[in-house]
Amino acid sequence: MFRFGILSTAKIGRDLVVPAIQDAENCVVSAVASRDLSKARAMADRFSAPHAFGSYEEMLASDTIDAVYIPLPTSQHVEWTIKAANAGKHVLCEKPIALRASEIDQLIAARDRNKVLIAEAFMVTYSPVWRKVRSLLEEGAIGRLRHVQGAFTYFNRDPGNMRNIPALGGGGLPDIGVYPTITTRFVTGKEPVRVQASTDRDPEFGTDIYSSVRADFGDFELSFYISTQLAARQVMVFHGDKGFIEVKSPFNADRYGREEVELTNQNHAQSQLFRFQDARQYKLQAEAFARAAKGEQEEVVTLENSRLNQKFIDAIYRASDKDGWEKI
């Protein structure tokens, strides 16, 4: 059984990822680390993990784990990913794994030097929802793809939330802007060439709270908006000359609605609805990561892929400070 250690007791780990690992067929949570041993012990007991550590370093030095899952604040991802890799542990790190594309070069070097697997936790790429969208596009179900349209919004003005704290890597683009970009790239296999964007920042927090983006992929365009201060909404639509595909709750189906993909034909006279009952993308992510770490053939999000996605986000920030197109 592949053994995960959890680096911190962060909410996303407690609520989503750790339960999924425990439910997976080929891996288990073996340890929890926190700077507060009592918190680590409480979380370890909750999930029946046998080991608890009062420091991250102590867990990394332990032989009770094979890999580390990192749900720390974004600003700490690069530092602790490298430390875990240097300790000989495989790493599954929450997105975004870095705040600049150039930082990922350090992670690639650490991966290669230590011969471990490092992957960014884009759970959507393991979901049968997005694999279905990819197969429909590959089959030519909507003909020539011309436009992708997306939105991802929620409302959060909690000053204590890391998403609203610049020093912790807060902001809308790092938190949710990465989803329209990674999913479009994942299902099309294409990379953007240039981008236009506008971004608003919160006058109190200083974080980016709204972005409207137009990206040129050569054969098609992607337009999307994201916000941390709008009513909650998620949607992705892939529009071709023979039909279109709508992903109803593309990123967080448990909170935004059903996991459904609808394919509609050219004259809107016929549609097919593909439903995915309890797709459990976090569980699938853990299982795929464990197989890949053991050397089995498995599709995971490589650091090279992560670098391309972050390069896209970096360009959105640059484009937001100018009129016209910005090269990616």
Side-chain angles (χ1 to χ4, degrees):
M1 190 67 79
F2 191 77
R3 304 167 302 168
F4 273 97
I6 312 302
L7 205 72
S8 101
T9 57
K11 179 178 173 60
I12 188 171
R14 293 195 317 269
D15 293 354
L16 296 172
V17 180
V18 174
I21 294 173
Q22 291 294 66
D23 199 31
E25 296 180 2
N26 61 348
C27 50
V28 66
V29 174
S30 180
V32 178
S34 171
R35 293 188 172 97
D36 183 333
L37 180 58
S38 64
K39 288 184 178 180
R41 184 72 267 168
M43 184 167 163
D45 289 345
R46 174 181 170 184
F47 293 106
S48 301
H51 306 284
F53 297 95
S55 76
Y56 302 153
E57 292 87 352
E58 190 180 359
M59 187 177 74
L60 293 182
S62 169
D63 61 1
T64 62
I65 62 169
D66 304 304
V68 174
Y69 165 66
I70 301 178
L72 291 167
T74 300
S75 59
Q76 300 176 40
H77 285 178
V78 170
E79 174 191 357
W80 285 100
T81 294
I82 291 173
K83 286 181 177 180
N86 287 343
K89 310 302 183 187
H90 304 289
V91 182
L92 178 65
C93 181
E94 263 310 319
K95 58 81 211 160
I97 200 167
L99 288 167
R100 296 174 190 81
S102 59
E103 294 178 332
I104 298 176
D105 293 337
Q106 305 171 54
L107 305 183
I108 292 172
R111 176 199 65 189
D112 295 346
R113 181 174 65 250
N114 295 291
K115 297 184 175 9
V116 294
L117 173 64
I118 300 176
E120 191 171 12
F122 275 120
M123 74 292 184
V124 287
T125 63
Y126 305 93
S127 170
V129 172
W130 283 104
R131 303 218 169 183
K132 182 62 177 179
V133 175
R134 182 168 66 177
S135 68
L136 288 171
L137 292 174
E138 289 173 348
E139 294 162 11
I142 62 170
R144 180 190 174 193
L145 176 65
R146 291 299 307 272
H147 194 90
V148 182
Q149 186 177 40
F152 190 171
T153 61
Y154 61 78
F155 195 94
N156 180 340
R157 288 210 82 251
D158 175 7
N161 190 291
M162 61 162 283
R163 293 164 182 81
N164 296 319
I165 303 174
L168 297 181
L173 285 167
D175 188 39
I176 53 179
V178 293
Y179 283 112
T181 58
I182 191 71
T183 51
T184 299
R185 294 177 52 250
F186 176 73
V187 298
T188 65
K190 303 288 187 179
E191 298 295 336
V193 179
R194 55 182 186 162
V195 64
Q196 292 179 329
S198 62
T199 295
D200 295 338
R201 293 183 178 272
D202 186 284
E204 179 183 350
F205 302 143
T207 51
D208 55 287
I209 59 170
Y210 172 85
S211 289
S212 178
V213 179
R214 177 190 178 197
D216 176 14
F217 278 73
D219 295 336
F220 65 91
E221 283 191 339
L222 163 65
S223 64
F224 70 90
Y225 65 91
I226 59 100
S227 178
T228 61
Q229 293 185 26
L230 280 178
R233 182 178 185 233
Q234 290 187 6
V235 67
M236 288 289 286
V237 180
F238 297 79
H239 205 149
D241 58 356
K242 294 182 180 178
F244 64 89
I245 299 165
E246 183 174 357
V247 190
K248 300 299 182 67
S249 304
F251 312 121
N252 302 112
D254 55 333
R255 281 168 281 173
Y256 284 75
R258 294 179 177 177
E259 295 172 290
E260 294 180 345
V261 174
E262 186 170 12
L263 171 64
T264 302
N265 71 350
Q266 189 180 61
N267 64 1
H268 221 271
Q270 185 179 30
S271 66
Q272 291 178 270
L273 191 63
F274 303 93
R275 287 180 173 167
F276 300 85
Q277 301 296 331
D278 194 20
R280 306 174 83 177
Q281 55 190 359
Y282 290 100
K283 174 178 178 286
L284 296 173
Q285 174 181 253
E287 291 173 344
F289 180 89
R291 287 192 293 269
K294 289 181 175 180
E296 298 178 33
Q297 193 68 29
E298 185 63 60
E299 182 181 7
V300 298
V301 180
T302 66
L303 287 177
E304 288 76 9
N305 188 345
S306 293
R307 196 185 193 288
L308 288 170
N309 207 65
Q310 187 58 44
K311 188 179 177 184
F312 193 171
I313 299 298
D314 292 351
I316 292 172
Y317 276 120
R318 294 196 307 272
S320 297
D321 293 331
K322 61 183 286 189
D323 291 328
W325 293 102
E326 174 70 20
K327 288 184 179 180
I328 297 176

